[in-house]
Amino acid sequence: MPNLLCLVATPTRELFSGEIAYADVPGSEGNYGVLSGHEMLVAKNSPGVLTLWMDADGKEKRRFALYEGATQVYADRLTVLARFGVEVDNIDAEAVRKKVVAIKERIAELEAKHADDPEVETYGAILETSRARLAWYETQLRVVEGASAK
């Protein structure tokens, strides 16, 4: 079976580029599989795990925790773009837990400091970015905790 060319990237870096046999993608409507010859597709990603089968037997896999983004399949090329992403094997759960605590404190501080501020929109972008990062770190923890339960 011919392989797919695959690119997995975030706005700041490439996470993977190469040939794969199969991909399990976390789509907004649920996970879906992609093989060579797949119909053209553009889909929204959900936070979750992208699993790439490097070989047809599925003996060698690479897993990536992703947060949001989009996927395109076109002419035996799979492109997965995520707002945030990391290879599951590279997640440092303890460091992520510390980041979750720090961001929760920062969000609480911003909300308390600017709750009555008529210019609260000024801080809206900071809060939105902080909340997105918090959701990303919590996604990583769910992935790591789910993997250790198996």
Side-chain angles (χ1 to χ4, degrees), residues 1-38:
M1 170 187 308
N3 286 337
L4 284 166
L5 290 178
C6 179
L7 171 67
V8 181
T10 68
T12 58
R13 69 181 204 263
E14 180 179 288
L15 300 174
F16 173 82
S17 180
E19 288 191 7
I20 63 167
Y22 175 77
D24 181 53
V25 183
S28 62
E29 304 283 326
N31 282 30
Y32 59 92
V34 178
L35 289 164
S36 179
H38 195 285

Side-chain angles (χ1 to χ4, degrees), residues 8 15 22-28 30-34 44-53 61-68 71 78 80 82 84-91 135-136 138-148 150:
V8 181
L15 300 174
Y22 175 77
D24 181 53
V25 183
S28 62
N31 282 30
Y32 59 92
V34 178
K44 182 178 174 187
N45 298 339
S46 285
V49 177
L50 167 71
T51 303
L52 304 179
W53 275 253
K61 298 177 187 175
R62 291 185 66 180
R63 300 174 66 230
F64 298 87
L66 303 179
Y67 183 76
E68 297 182 341
T71 295
L78 171 67
V80 181
F84 303 114
V86 65
E87 192 154 7
V88 171
D89 290 343
N90 295 334
I91 297 173
W136 163 232
E138 289 173 338
T139 297
Q140 290 180 67
L141 289 176
R142 279 192 302 277
V143 167
V144 170
E145 290 164 0
S148 64
K150 292 181 181 180

Side-chain angles (χ1 to χ4, degrees), residues 94-115:
E94 192 54 40
V96 172
R97 282 186 191 91
K98 288 178 183 176
K99 289 178 182 180
V100 165
V101 169
I103 284 185
K104 283 182 177 180
E105 289 172 358
R106 174 78 171 138
I107 289 170
E109 174 188 312
L110 285 168
E111 289 174 337
K113 185 176 180 182
H114 302 289

Side-chain angles (χ1 to χ4, degrees), residues 112-128:
K113 185 176 180 182
H114 302 289
D116 298 323
D117 189 343
E119 299 295 321
V120 74
E121 295 83 21
T122 305
Y123 302 97
I126 295 169
L127 280 169
E128 179 59 32

